[in-house]
Amino acid sequence: MALLFSDEEFQQAWTELDEPQLDGGWEFFTETMNVKIYRLYNKETGLYEYKVFGTLASCSADLCADVYMDLNYRKKWDSYVKELNEKDYDGQKAIYWEVKYPMPMSNRDYVYVRERRDLDVGGRKICVVLAKSSSVSQCPEKKGVIRVKDYKQSLAIESDGSDSTKVFMNYFDNPGGMIPTWLVNWAAKTGVPAFLTDMKKACSNYSSYCKNSK
C-alpha cells in the first residue's frame, strides 16, 4: 500500500507545538477559549488556510486523540454529520463524510485518508493525525451533494503537564459551489469555537458512551 504521509509531514506538524511557523503572510485572525487562530490568504480561491494554537482545558491528550479518531462517536455528538464511515476501496481505506449545510445550500461531502501516529519525541508523547482529500473512483459523487476535492488537516496534541491538552491544527478546505467567500470565512471564525465547545463536551461524555456501546 502506498505511503499516505511522510515522516517529514508528521514532524512538521508536531514542531509547531513548540515553534509556530507564521512567516510568509500568516496574520492573526481571532482568539477564543485559550486558542489563537491565524490565517493565510489563498489568492487562487479567495479563501484562507488556518492555523490554530492553544489549549483544550480539562481534557487529557490521550482522551482527546481517541475522541477525535472515533468516527462512530462523532456521529453522536457532531450535529453536522449526515454520513460518516470508513470503507475499503480496493485495498485502500478511505473515509466518506457528508456534512449538512443549511438550506438553501447543498450538502458537501469528502473522501479522505488519514493516519495517526503516537510519537515519542525525547520522552514527550505527542499524537499527530494527518488527513487529506483522496480521489477514490469507487466512491462516485451524489446528486445534489457537492464533493470537496481540496481538503487537508493536520493535528498535533500533547499533554500540557496537567489535565489539559496542548493543541496545534492546520486546516484548509475549499467547499466549492457558489458560496460567497465572506460567508466561508465567517463560518471559519464561528465554527472553530463551536467545534472546540462540542469537542470538550464529547470528551467528558466519552467514557459513558464507551460503556453503553459495549
Side-chain angles (χ1 to χ4, degrees):
M1 195 174 85
L3 193 67
L4 298 179
F5 302 95
S6 67
D7 293 344
E8 287 77 18
E9 286 175 286
F10 280 93
Q11 181 170 352
Q12 205 173 354
W14 73 254
T15 53
E16 296 227 32
L17 285 169
D18 297 338
E19 292 181 32
Q21 302 298 309
L22 297 170
D23 293 337
W26 287 93
E27 63 181 26
F28 177 74
F29 180 43
T30 188
E31 184 170 1
T32 179
M33 296 170 59
N34 296 323
V35 167
K36 288 183 177 177
I37 305 172
Y38 294 82
R39 66 184 187 179
L40 179 67
Y41 186 67
N42 183 309
K43 287 178 185 166
E44 286 178 33
T45 60
L47 301 171
Y48 288 92
E49 179 178 346
Y50 295 91
K51 285 187 176 183
V52 179
F53 303 90
T55 304
L56 204 59
S58 305
C59 180
S60 74
D62 287 342
L63 175 61
C64 193
D66 290 344
V67 167
Y68 187 79
M69 293 296 291
D70 193 328
L71 299 181
N72 286 325
Y73 184 44
R74 176 112 184 216
K75 288 185 257 190
K76 302 283 186 191
W77 63 265
D78 186 342
S79 59
Y80 291 101
V81 171
K82 173 80 184 292
E83 191 180 333
L84 179 61
N85 45 61
E86 190 166 27
K87 294 181 180 176
D88 198 307
Y89 299 98
D90 285 352
Q92 169 69 71
K93 280 194 183 304
I95 294 166
Y96 176 80
W97 178 30
E98 183 180 341
V99 180
K100 297 175 192 171
Y101 268 57
M103 292 289 285
M105 292 184 283
S106 302
N107 284 359
R108 273 24 181 202
D109 69 1
Y110 301 71
V111 178
Y112 67 97
V113 292
R114 72 172 179 178
E115 184 181 347
R116 170 183 174 176
R117 290 190 194 173
D118 293 329
L119 306 172
D120 182 334
V121 181
R124 294 162 61 189
K125 185 182 176 187
I126 302 177
C127 172
V128 178
V129 183
L130 302 182
K132 64 184 176 184
S133 301
S134 175
S135 53
V136 176
S137 56
Q138 302 92 324
C139 187
E141 296 180 32
K142 292 180 181 177
K143 189 176 179 181
V145 178
I146 295 175
R147 174 69 46 89
V148 176
K149 294 173 180 167
D150 192 1
Y151 163 73
K152 67 171 185 177
Q153 186 167 0
S154 58
L155 174 75
I157 55 179
E158 73 170 326
S159 170
D160 73 342
S162 61
D163 66 341
S164 300
T165 299
K166 198 174 172 186
V167 178
F168 161 70
M169 183 186 283
N170 183 200
Y171 180 86
F172 179 77
D173 166 326
N174 183 352
M178 301 301 291
I179 305 177
T181 53
W182 68 263
L183 183 58
V184 177
N185 294 327
W186 172 83
K189 192 168 191 172
T190 58
V192 171
F195 178 76
L196 291 173
T197 302
D198 289 346
M199 183 82 178
K200 279 180 71 172
K201 191 174 176 185
C203 285
S204 63
N205 294 332
Y206 192 51
S207 61
S208 59
Y209 162 79
C210 290
K211 282 177 196 165
N212 295 331
S213 59
K214 281 180 181 174

